[in-house]
């Protein structure tokens, strides 16, 4: 079987940290592919667009590799993901109410309130 490298919006709905609607996923994929050549193409005999796996955050590529036979450029891990990608994934997994709480805490009391274990002397585990 040939590894998959191209995915449609429909195939990306519900990925970890990704929205659950086609318009929201399309917007995310278009933003990730903006200014990059060769990462977005029209699907053959279809109106759909396909996006290359290389534009997806490392944690999503790893998830897809475990789920399917996917061709991933390089062998990345979650820990190689950019901190912004990891935070984005974590934030999007929160409910709307949890997002409001985290944003409120951060805005009023700072990051050490949101992540107290980062500033404690003892490890959290």
């Amino acid at each position: 079987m040939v590894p998959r490298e191209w995915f449609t919006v429909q195939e990306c709905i519900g990925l970890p940290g990704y929205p659950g609607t086609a318009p929201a996923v399309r917007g995310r994929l278009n933003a990730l592919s903006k200014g990059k050549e060769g990462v977005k193409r029209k699907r053959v005999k279809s109106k759909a667009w396909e996006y290359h796996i290389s534009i997806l955050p490392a944690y999503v590529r790893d998830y897809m590799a475990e789920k399917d036979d996917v061709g991933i450029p390089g062998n990345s891990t979650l820990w190689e993901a950019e901190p912004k990608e990891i935070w984005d994934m974590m934030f999007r997994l929160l409910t709307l109410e949890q997002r409001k709480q985290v944003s409120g805490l951060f805005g009023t009391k700072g990051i050490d309130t949101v992540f107290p274990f980062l500033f404690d002397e003892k490890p959290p585990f």
Side-chain angles (χ1 to χ4, degrees):
M1 175 183 253
V2 175
R4 294 193 55 211
E5 292 187 31
W6 295 91
F7 297 89
T8 64
V9 167
Q10 291 298 321
E11 293 168 324
C12 293
I13 292 174
L15 289 174
Y18 269 65
T21 65
V25 170
R26 184 176 299 107
R28 169 99 41 99
L29 293 172
N30 283 333
L32 290 169
S33 63
K34 187 174 182 171
K36 299 176 184 170
E37 290 191 37
V39 296
K40 180 180 174 182
R41 69 182 186 188
K42 193 82 161 146
R43 189 170 218 174
V44 178
K45 297 182 183 179
S46 172
K47 292 193 275 183
W49 287 93
E50 295 179 313
Y51 301 84
H52 194 265
I53 194 167
S54 64
I55 67 166
L56 299 175
Y59 69 88
V60 175
R61 292 185 301 222
D62 289 343
Y63 170 82
M64 293 175 90
E66 291 174 9
K67 188 173 172 245
D68 290 324
D69 185 17
V70 176
I72 299 175
N75 189 14
S76 62
T77 67
L78 175 60
W79 304 113
E80 292 173 2
E82 293 292 322
K84 184 184 179 309
E85 293 174 348
I86 295 170
W87 171 250
D88 187 52
M89 176 196 66
M90 292 183 335
F91 191 75
R92 290 181 186 282
L93 291 173
L94 299 174
T95 66
L96 183 57
E97 185 58 36
Q98 290 169 329
R99 289 179 188 181
K100 288 178 184 176
Q101 290 174 355
V102 167
S103 297
L105 280 172
F106 179 76
T108 58
K109 298 186 178 181
I111 194 166
D112 55 332
T113 303
V114 177
F115 296 109
F117 62 88
L118 291 177
F119 303 97
D120 286 346
E121 294 296 320
K122 57 186 176 203
F125 312 115

